[in-house]
Amino acid sequence: MKTNLLALTPAEIAALMEIMGEPAYRAAQILDWLWHKGAESFAQMTNLPLSLRQKLEQQVDIGFLEVLAKQKSADGTEKLLLDLADGQTVETVILPYDIGDSACISTQVGCRMGCAFCASGQPGFIRNLTAAEIMAQVLQVRNLLQRKGRKLKNLVLMGTGEPLDNWTATVAFLEAVQDPQRLGMSLRHITLSTSGLVPKILALAEKGWPLNLAVSLHAPNNKIRNRLMPINKKYPIEELLPACDLYVEKTGRRITYEYILLAEVNDGSQHARECAQLLSGRICHVNLIPFNAVPGMQWQPSPPEKVIAFRNVLKSHGINATIRRKMGADIAAACGQLRNICKNKTRGE
Ligand code: SAH
Ligand code: SF4
């Protein structure tokens, strides 16, 4: 296996240059090409001597991922299916917003959490992504946008996978994001979404990073949450919410609670009142998510009037709530669907 350049810290790139017998300033040049100028091959690093570029080509993998399939929605949302070195694939979504473009990044191939409404979890868990593979998705999107004269402003870890179930890679990724010599993006522009792995939420709180945390709540009580999200049996609501409170205390960031509205499951006015009671007094925001229907699943989205009524009940109880704009509905938008569709087509499985 070749060394993956995206996986290396600046100190490790410096060490690599030393081993290769190159002057120290070459490390800074490579870092600049890779992280700031958006080079995707060694050939583009034109201020490096040809001999070094050839040596790098032979010994080091730059770490970019090839785009296997692309889907573009009428609303501008773009979904990329990227090819991983071992033949697995991963989905990345580009969300164009007036306030700045955003990328939705995956952290695992599949997911082991088994949420009942989620397409990502359907094929089960295959493997964790490495920090470099998570970062390659970001650079892919950044470079694509840059070529169109646009700028990547926000990142959401809301693609396939449970980021906190891939703790080591996710933390290494977040370190590379903040590092001014690498991506150099403030964690204020990043949102990590979790199904609620309590010990990891506590560990993240200890970091004290200004990272936005989104928590998939999706139910106002344990009975419904157990049915939708098996993880709730391990970390029930009465453990999850105090962990979130600690996160707010340690980081000063507000939490977003995500709540998918499923017809006749969790969308009644009594559920809204229960949810308001649960969150009352907490520094938070509720993001109501219209369910993206997944083929073969029993769940149906709540009708729009019920979504609005739900939001109004929360608001009347003083809970800040918004309805997420549905994007990419025409391109099999529920995370994991492009991968599920393309698996057969592109790999002949
Ligand atoms: N594993 C993490 C992050 C990835 S999922 C988590 O669960 O939070 C990102 C968000 O998409 C979660 O809130 C998840 O519940 C939601 N989601 C999953 N399937 C969905 C669907 N079919 N329609 C709408 N949202 C969905
Ligand atoms: Fe995994 Fe999140 Fe999907 Fe649940 S909702 S199966 S945690 S990706």
Side-chain angles (χ1 to χ4, degrees), residues 111-115 117-121 159-162 195 216 218 229:
C111 181
R112 69 173 117 227
M113 298 300 137
C115 301
F117 46 79
C118 176
S120 298
T160 300
E162 167 50 56
S195 56
S216 293
H218 304 328
M229 305 178 71

Side-chain angles (χ1 to χ4, degrees), residues 239-282:
E239 288 181 30
L240 175 59
L241 294 184
C244 295
D245 294 342
L246 190 83
Y247 188 85
V248 174
E249 198 186 300
K250 295 267 181 183
T251 63
R253 304 302 282 170
R254 183 180 70 165
I255 301 240
T256 298
Y257 290 99
E258 297 164 283
Y259 196 110
I260 299 180
L261 286 157
L262 300 163
E264 306 303 326
V265 175
N266 62 359
D267 66 341
S269 55
Q270 75 281 17
H271 298 132
R273 283 193 298 274
E274 218 180 332
C275 184
Q277 264 165 22
L278 207 57
L279 299 178
S280 115
R282 295 194 142 93

Side-chain angles (χ1 to χ4, degrees), residues 17 20-27 29-30 33 41-58:
M17 286 303 103
M20 286 180 146
E22 295 290 331
Y25 64 86
R26 293 284 179 228
Q29 287 176 316
I30 292 174
W33 275 112
S41 69
F42 293 115
Q44 286 171 290
M45 302 185 179
T46 45
N47 58 357
L48 303 184
L50 187 63
S51 58
L52 174 59
R53 279 184 262 158
Q54 285 167 342
K55 241 190 326 187
L56 285 167
E57 199 80 62
Q58 283 161 5

Side-chain angles (χ1 to χ4, degrees), residues 39 45 86 127 194 252 257 259 286 289:
M45 302 185 179
D86 61 353
R127 71 166 172 89
T194 179
Y257 290 99
Y259 196 110
V286 177
I289 309 176

